[in-house]
Amino acid sequence: MTGHAAPLYLLLISVHGLIRGRDLELGRDADTGGQTKYVVDLAKALAEQKTVGRVDLVTRQLIDPELDADYGKAIEQLSEQARIIRIAAGPEGYVKKEELWDYLDIFTDNLLHWLNQQPRMPDILHGHYADAGYVGMRLSHLTGIPLVFTGHSLGRDKRNRLLAMGLNSDLLEERYHISRRINAEEDVLATADLVITSTRNEIAEQYELYDYYHPERMVVVPPGTDLEQFHPADGLAEDIPFNSSLKHFLTHPEKPMILALSRPDERKNIVALVQAYGESAELQELANLVIVAGNRDDIREMDEGAQSVLTEILLLLDCYELYGRIALPKHHKQEDVPDIYRLAALLKGVFINPALTEPFGLTLLEAAACGLPLVVTENGGPVDIIGNCHNGLLVDPLDTEAMAQALLTILKDPVQWEVFSRSGLQKVRQFYSWRAHAKSYLRKIQPLLEQQTPILKTTHERNPLRYRSRAIFTDIDQSLLGNSEGLQQFVQYLRAQRKNVFFGIATGRRLDTALAILKRNGVPTPDVLITSLGTEIYYAPQITADIAWTRHIDHHWNPKAIRRILADTPGLILQPKSEQSRFKISYHYDPERAPSPDEINALLRQEDQAVNAHQAFGQFFDIIPMRASKGLALRYFAQQWNIPLERILVAGGSGADEDMMQGNTLAVVVANRHREELSQLYEPERIYFAEKPHALGIIEAIEHYDFFKKA
């Protein structure tokens, strides 16, 4: 590799699941599946490359008495060059990925704080799954570090398939927060410099569903499998300990095994497999069905999804009277998995993955590396695997008759079984090694390293403001102004604390109008002004512009194209020039005539415009660069002046203030007629809903937090 002399520092982010370097608890729940194994193996494989100096895999720290203490360790060494880094965010205990969204801004703030303490910043950020993609996107906006994204599975595809199964949209929102996930994925795809997928099918059938679909930024790098761990058996079935755990389930354990190994998740479609087996007397006569679906002690204590799947399997077992023909072991260890595949291969069985869709399918490679032929879903990554390895059959996962027929085709033909088995063993080694994956990965990210322009740290050594240890930021309209008595009290608070605290304004107004209205209301000149919705930053006393911030947010900003795209949109009328700025395009918004904000955002994405756009006060629509917002500008300021976010109090009263309030800042939502735009925010320790309006509400929050004495 050329163009990057120093050894690479790669930061992989995978927020949810139980991630550690040994004894991965795959199948424990819906969050601990193939992705957790993938990211650990990827970190190890990349760290073995000569051009890589350091790989950190970042996940959420879990301190939970029901979990192993491993998940609470701040740092775990994977190899000489690779580590797992655990960052605290939200509750100490385990939280399912669907419930993590409210804590991702805290995770981002804590991770950025940790990175700022390291000897150097990473060269690449790589987010895995939507939640880590969101974290990576925010970090990329703040630092300028290139972002790589791997979705693993995508919300739009998941929603379509679950709706097709009969789940209603309200249940999808309640259980999966699917709209929030899809919106995050759209924003991540607008930001990502590179999307790495496992198969071409992912690009064509999943990513194409998104408004910001850029196949030229998407590359296929198939994952590898550990060929030292997964290989054919060199003994007999009786030599494999797992065999004994099946004997009390099966009347004839010597029969060929139809093996399914996955989480007990609706999307894995195991229930349809049991139905296919139950409806085929020939299949029951020919082979046993073994379902290894995670670990359990009591089905009644499992989460709702797993409980539903396992209960349905037991009901079908009884309905079809499959006693003695089906095994559903309660426990297995990760180190048992290779032996389970080998046992199935020794019994001349078949591995089946009947998932509704499978983004890639690491289990397919593992099974093939142990000599098992495959019957797999035709939706997703298995298409590429079967195309490369020629070691099995594709089936429609909704067609149980076709599923049974594919299994019979292989099980009844010993010659075909041998052809598929040998082809899988040979082709997995040819196409799917981790060494090949790591080398391909590094080739694909090389162009990103050459175009990297990280944001620079500005020096403020001679500025007396640097001695201040905390800050108060407030919007002007609907937050600071509106109650003259409260404003006078707030100004007195500020004057008493001027030597210790920055006073900052964060407003949608331009600099000139902001200064004018503050002067007219007797508010002293702020130390910092974040204006035009976070696109400009100015410092007192000379009101000096921060040029580094201006250069940073100019990334992919094309205001002429945006105005052209929206020129004929009904209900959108450009505001006067006095309300526009270089990095802010502002419209009057008529809700009776204009498309919804989501529809306008979709139009901009489809026209390749990566922007931050939102409606305010029900009557305005503002568009700014993707890297700009009040919250991002505030965090940039905090980094520049070395002020912990926990010592910054932000006051707001409308939706435009939301991203200032999420994360580690202390926040107050003052009482006004627009505060319902922030009603969804909930973080009792860091977001305070004041009873009093405007500046009185800010004073109420100062006293609530004991802000000037807070450590």
Side-chain angles (χ1 to χ4, degrees):
M1 293 169 65
T2 59
H4 195 283
L8 292 175
Y9 173 20
L10 308 175
L11 190 82
L12 313 182
I13 309 168
S14 185
V15 180
H16 69 264
L18 300 175
I19 295 178
R20 62 181 175 185
R22 62 168 186 85
D23 190 23
L24 283 170
E25 300 183 66
L26 301 184
R28 178 179 175 126
D29 61 16
D31 294 352
T32 307
Q35 179 195 329
T36 59
K37 183 172 182 356
Y38 174 93
V39 293
V40 172
D41 288 346
L42 175 61
K44 292 176 180 177
L46 289 171
E48 290 176 358
Q49 299 301 303
K50 291 180 181 179
T51 54
V52 176
R54 174 176 169 186
V55 180
D56 284 337
L57 168 56
V58 181
T59 191
R60 196 171 78 89
Q61 186 180 44
L62 304 174
I63 300 173
D64 190 327
E66 296 185 4
L67 297 175
D68 196 294
D70 286 355
Y71 304 114
K73 294 176 182 175
I75 298 176
E76 178 185 347
Q77 207 74 32
L78 289 175
S79 67
E80 187 177 347
Q81 312 285 58
R83 307 181 298 177
I84 295 175
I85 305 297
R86 297 187 177 90
I87 301 293
E92 289 188 338
Y94 188 68
V95 177
K96 294 192 296 184
K97 62 179 179 291
E98 289 84 6
E99 306 302 327
L100 274 177
W101 291 101
D102 288 340
Y103 309 113
L104 293 182
D105 288 283
I106 296 172
F107 186 94
T108 305
D109 285 344
N110 289 342
L111 175 52
L112 183 58
H113 176 72
W114 181 85
L115 284 171
N116 283 326
Q117 296 175 320
Q118 303 309 302
R120 58 175 286 207
M121 282 287 185
D123 297 294
I124 293 289
L125 306 170
H126 187 165
H128 292 267
Y129 192 79
D131 47 20
Y134 174 86
V135 171
M137 174 188 70
R138 294 284 290 182
L139 286 175
S140 181
H141 288 336
L142 285 161
T143 62
I145 299 171
L147 175 65
V148 178
F149 176 58
T150 298
H152 293 278
S153 66
L154 293 172
R156 284 195 190 277
D157 182 66
K158 176 175 180 175
R159 181 173 64 182
N160 292 348
R161 295 189 181 280
L162 290 176
L163 287 172
M165 289 178 65
L167 274 72
N168 66 56
S169 54
D170 289 342
L171 180 62
L172 288 181
E173 290 302 323
E174 179 184 343
R175 184 181 296 179
Y176 299 113
H177 303 290
I178 201 77
S179 294
R180 192 168 183 181
R181 173 180 172 180
I182 290 169
N183 287 335
E185 288 168 341
E186 288 281 16
D187 289 340
V188 172
L189 290 173
T191 302
D193 300 277
L194 185 71
V195 175
I196 291 180
T197 73
S198 297
T199 67
R200 300 185 195 285
N201 181 279
E202 277 182 83
I203 297 174
E205 296 190 11
Q206 294 196 50
Y207 286 96
E208 193 176 20
L209 299 173
Y210 286 76
D211 297 324
Y212 212 91
Y213 173 60
H214 270 286
E216 71 278 6
R217 289 191 197 171
M218 299 176 180
V219 296
V220 177
V221 185
T225 192
D226 184 348
L227 297 176
E228 293 183 5
Q229 186 179 9
F230 297 96
H231 55 77
D234 53 10
L236 302 173
E238 289 74 18
D239 299 331
I240 295 175
F242 191 77
N243 192 24
S244 61
S245 68
L246 301 179
K247 289 185 176 178
H248 71 277
F249 287 101
L250 303 173
T251 305
H252 298 287
E254 73 283 355
K255 281 186 178 181
M257 179 193 300
I258 300 167
L259 172 64
L261 191 153
S262 72
R263 304 187 308 273
D265 186 293
E266 292 164 332
R267 293 158 293 176
K268 297 302 181 182
N269 203 33
I270 310 171
V271 169
L273 169 62
V274 178
Q275 187 176 345
Y277 183 75
E279 291 174 350
S280 173
E282 187 177 10
L283 204 53
Q284 294 172 41
E285 183 64 29
L286 201 59
N288 294 314
L289 176 59
V290 176
I291 298 171
V292 181
N295 288 282
R296 67 187 187 278
D297 290 315
D298 186 337
I299 291 175
R300 294 169 297 182
E301 295 176 357
M302 302 182 78
D303 67 62
E304 182 181 347
Q307 190 176 126
S308 172
V309 169
L310 290 168
T311 301
E312 186 66 23
I313 289 172
L314 294 175
L315 291 172
L316 288 173
L317 185 157
D318 187 70
C319 173
Y320 292 114
E321 297 189 10
L322 299 177
Y323 303 102
R325 299 184 180 93
I326 185 170
L328 192 64
K330 295 180 71 169
H331 296 283
H332 73 284
K333 296 179 180 178
Q334 180 58 24
E335 56 262 34
D336 294 332
V337 172
D339 274 345
I340 295 172
Y341 293 129
R342 285 191 274 269
L343 175 62
L346 286 168
L347 294 171
K348 301 299 181 183
V350 177
F351 180 77
I352 182 166
N353 179 332
L356 296 173
T357 183
E358 184 62 66
F360 180 68
L362 284 174
T363 55
L364 276 62
L365 299 184
E366 295 169 355
C370 296
L372 271 175
L374 310 178
V375 171
V376 290
T377 178
E378 64 184 6
N379 297 322
V383 175
D384 280 17
I385 293 175
I386 296 296
N388 284 331
C389 297
H390 306 290
N391 64 331
L393 301 174
L394 296 167
V395 293
D396 177 354
L398 300 179
D399 187 340
T400 55
E401 190 175 335
M403 199 183 296
Q405 190 55 51
L407 289 165
L408 287 168
T409 298
I410 300 174
L411 290 167
K412 290 171 66 177
D413 187 342
V415 174
Q416 183 64 77
W417 191 97
E418 288 291 345
V419 169
F420 281 156
S421 176
R422 284 198 304 270
S423 182
L425 288 169
Q426 177 188 345
K427 298 295 185 181
V428 163
R429 290 185 174 277
Q430 180 180 341
F431 289 104
Y432 298 104
S433 75
W434 272 114
R435 180 177 296 178
H437 177 93
K439 289 183 180 299
S440 178
Y441 181 105
L442 294 173
R443 284 196 302 273
K444 302 296 187 184
I445 67 169
Q446 180 61 33
L448 308 186
L449 302 171
E450 294 169 351
Q451 68 189 36
Q452 183 179 3
T453 53
I455 196 166
L456 299 175
K457 181 93 170 169
T458 306
T459 56
H460 304 285
E461 292 181 2
R462 297 184 180 179
N463 194 315
L465 296 177
R466 77 181 193 278
Y467 296 110
R468 300 181 183 184
S469 61
R470 59 194 71 224
I472 296 175
F473 277 82
T474 175
D475 194 1
I476 298 175
D477 306 285
Q478 309 298 330
S479 298
L480 180 63
L481 305 183
N483 181 290
S484 57
E485 178 188 348
L487 183 61
Q488 289 177 5
Q489 290 182 33
F490 179 69
V491 169
Q492 289 174 2
Y493 257 95
L494 284 178
R495 286 182 172 142
Q497 296 287 338
R498 284 297 268 180
K499 290 184 179 180
N500 304 314
V501 63
F502 283 93
F503 169 45
I505 288 292
T507 178
R509 289 176 175 268
R510 286 175 25 156
L511 176 67
D512 50 358
T513 60
L515 288 171
I517 195 170
L518 291 173
K519 184 175 182 180
R520 191 160 61 244
N521 284 272
V523 179
T525 302
D527 303 307
V528 188
L529 288 115
I530 295 173
T531 62
S532 296
L533 287 174
T535 61
E536 298 169 353
I537 303 175
Y538 299 92
Y539 301 109
Q542 285 85 26
I543 314 299
T544 306
D546 192 315
I547 303 303
W549 179 248
T550 302
R551 289 174 182 156
H552 177 67
I553 67 171
D554 199 18
H555 185 69
H556 295 322
W557 175 241
N558 192 342
K560 288 183 180 178
I562 294 165
R563 292 190 188 95
R564 174 182 54 77
I565 293 163
L566 298 181
D568 299 323
T569 305
L572 280 187
I573 301 172
L574 279 168
Q575 294 181 32
K577 285 189 176 181
S578 60
E579 299 302 320
Q580 313 290 341
S581 68
R582 177 182 170 188
F583 293 109
K584 181 169 77 81
I585 305 172
S586 294
Y587 294 88
H588 289 293
Y589 180 85
D590 181 353
E592 299 295 323
R593 298 177 58 233
S596 71
D598 285 345
E599 290 172 315
I600 298 172
N601 267 309
L603 175 61
L604 290 167
R605 288 170 180 148
Q606 289 161 6
E607 294 289 338
D608 300 340
Q609 298 305 309
V611 297
N612 189 346
H614 53 82
Q615 184 187 17
F617 303 124
Q619 56 184 325
F620 304 120
F621 195 83
D622 298 301
I623 301 170
I624 58 178
M626 180 62 86
R627 285 182 172 181
S629 71
K630 289 183 180 181
L632 290 168
L634 179 72
R635 281 159 176 78
Y636 168 82
F637 158 81
Q639 283 193 90
Q640 295 291 317
W641 295 86
N642 294 318
I643 299 180
L645 291 173
E646 296 85 352
R647 293 187 179 182
I648 299 179
L649 174 63
V650 296
S654 73
D657 304 316
E658 181 174 342
D659 84 326
M660 283 201 301
M661 299 182 163
Q662 293 175 323
N664 283 347
T665 54
L666 299 176
V668 53
V669 179
V670 301
N672 68 36
R673 63 192 179 94
H674 290 285
R675 70 185 285 169
E676 69 274 4
E677 295 178 13
L678 295 168
S679 60
Q680 79 282 3
L681 295 176
Y682 178 75
E683 174 55 56
E685 293 183 7
R686 298 190 184 279
I687 299 176
Y688 176 67
F689 283 80
E691 296 180 3
K692 297 177 182 177
H694 309 109
L696 285 173
I698 303 175
I699 295 170
E700 185 183 331
I702 290 171
E703 294 171 351
H704 168 78
Y705 289 120
D706 197 11
F707 180 68
F708 294 121
K709 294 181 180 178
K710 191 174 179 68

